[in-house]
Amino acid sequence: MTEARARTPRLYRGDVRAAQIRLGREIRVTPVFHTEVIGPNGPVEVTLKLEHLQHSGTFKLRGSLNALKQHPDDGRPVVIASGGNAGIAAAMACTLRDRPCTVVVPETASHTKVAAMWGYGAEVLWHGTSYAECKRYADRIAGERDALQLHAYDLPQVVAGAGVIGLEIERQVRGRPPVLVAVGGGGLMAGVAIALGPRARVIGVEPEGAPTLRAALSTGQPVDVPIDTITADALGAGRIGDIALDTALRYGVGSVLVDDDSIVMAREYLWREFRLVVESAGATALAAVMSGAYVPEPGVRPVIVLCGANTDVTTL
């Protein structure tokens, strides 16, 4: 074990259960939808976890709110670096907790997502063209303002909050089916895997143009990867989180890669067949099944998490 991994905070199912109690009714228990989708060899039975219906349109609200509820309401401002959804979630969480929020986004940030941050009252600062550059600037701003700094995916409270999705799936779905989740920085994957533990297999689905988990599993440590994908505004972390990698190694979480064309097709399919509006990242896990990158075993109905809906609907 490397020194960095030895220092990584390790979370357990109890941490996720505590987050569930802490969040209470401020978080929406999102429904599941049992259906079938078209795969390369015909219909495939799946269960869709409709997390895109979460308040703020992203699963990340769970983590941001869980983190804020574990800090005293001392009036300190909150700062976060984000490609989009983490900023929206932090902005809404701060509104609920009556705290000022500043989000640092890359110059390429989605106008739709920035507008959502403004809508929740956040100050938005543009800096650089990557998440890494935003994070360095957010570190500086947080120090200058004596602010509470949230992390988009590599903070124990954020991961535990995201993991509540796993507890909901466990209650909503019979058996122990595999759960497919999109991976950027890995907070969602880690949270769900910690919640379910060895009781179910969690599979990370990544765009070919942002294989953060695949690269880390290959080297045994988080490494920087170039980002070149349509999902960059949500899955563009560029590097897997330490907590996520530790969790993936601990529970045997694998990586499945999908190309951008498959993601686009899955997103359009959700709208055309079910009138479900998701962003590209929200369709990434489904793309694995529809493209054949992941083929479930006979008689197995995988759970697919649709994780976000912050998108420009005119692009559908």
Side-chain angles (χ1 to χ4, degrees):
M1 180 182 294
T2 65
E3 183 180 350
R5 281 186 56 206
R7 295 196 305 265
T8 300
R10 177 160 284 189
L11 301 177
Y12 298 91
R13 180 178 167 89
D15 296 301
V16 180
R17 289 182 63 85
Q20 185 179 42
I21 294 170
R22 191 175 297 113
L23 291 171
R25 295 187 178 182
E26 291 187 75
I27 291 297
R28 180 174 289 152
V29 176
T30 53
V32 295
F33 175 35
H34 305 294
T35 186
E36 62 180 28
V37 298
I38 299 299
N41 301 312
V44 180
E45 292 188 336
V46 299
T47 296
L48 303 179
K49 173 64 169 169
L50 307 184
E51 183 61 18
H52 68 294
L53 300 179
Q54 187 55 257
H55 301 301
S56 79
T58 172
F59 77 94
K60 288 180 178 287
L61 178 64
R62 298 172 182 264
S64 289
L65 190 55
N66 185 48
L68 289 186
K69 294 187 79 167
Q70 290 184 72
H71 286 87
D73 290 331
D74 54 9
R76 293 169 62 203
V78 172
V79 173
I80 187 170
S82 171
N85 284 336
I88 296 172
M92 182 176 183
C94 284
T95 295
L96 293 173
R97 306 300 292 174
D98 195 25
R99 299 182 73 148
C101 179
T102 297
V103 185
V104 181
V105 301
E107 294 169 3
T108 55
S110 157
H111 294 295
T112 298
K113 294 187 176 183
V114 169
M117 297 173 206
W118 282 335
Y120 290 121
E123 174 191 28
V124 180
L125 303 177
W126 286 262
H127 185 82
T129 59
S130 69
Y131 173 78
E133 291 177 291
C134 290
K135 177 62 169 60
R136 287 191 292 269
Y137 190 62
D139 293 344
R140 175 182 153 191
I141 294 295
E144 292 174 350
R145 301 182 181 181
D146 187 30
L148 170 63
Q149 188 171 8
L150 298 184
H151 196 288
Y153 55 86
D154 202 23
L155 188 68
Q157 300 96 322
V158 166
V159 173
V164 176
I165 295 171
L167 299 182
E168 292 179 9
I169 291 172
E170 190 175 56
R171 188 175 66 253
Q172 293 168 320
V173 180
R174 293 181 179 179
R176 299 174 182 175
V179 180
L180 278 67
V181 298
V183 175
L188 175 59
M189 173 274 292
V192 172
I194 291 164
L196 298 177
R199 289 172 294 280
R201 184 183 177 203
V202 176
I203 299 156
V205 184
E206 306 182 90
E208 290 181 349
T212 57
L213 177 59
R214 175 70 63 91
L217 292 174
S218 299
T219 61
Q221 61 184 359
V223 293
D224 294 326
V225 300
I227 303 298
D228 183 17
T229 170
I230 60 172
T231 66
D233 65 337
L235 304 180
R239 183 185 181 96
I240 201 73
D242 291 330
I243 297 173
L245 178 57
D246 178 72
T247 302
L249 294 172
R250 187 169 146 205
Y251 292 113
V253 177
S255 165
V256 172
L257 300 182
V258 293
D259 60 34
D260 281 356
D261 287 344
S262 297
I263 295 171
V264 170
M265 289 178 62
R267 179 173 179 257
E268 291 177 347
Y269 181 87
L270 284 169
W271 170 246
R272 184 175 66 251
E273 296 297 324
F274 306 118
R275 290 298 186 261
L276 296 177
V277 178
V278 302
E279 60 190 286
S280 296
T284 296
L286 177 61
V289 172
M290 294 188 63
S291 67
Y294 169 78
V295 179
E297 297 178 3
V300 173
R301 180 195 290 268
V303 177
I304 299 170
V305 180
L306 307 183
C307 57
N310 290 304
T311 186
D312 181 353
V313 295
T314 63
T315 62
L316 284 166

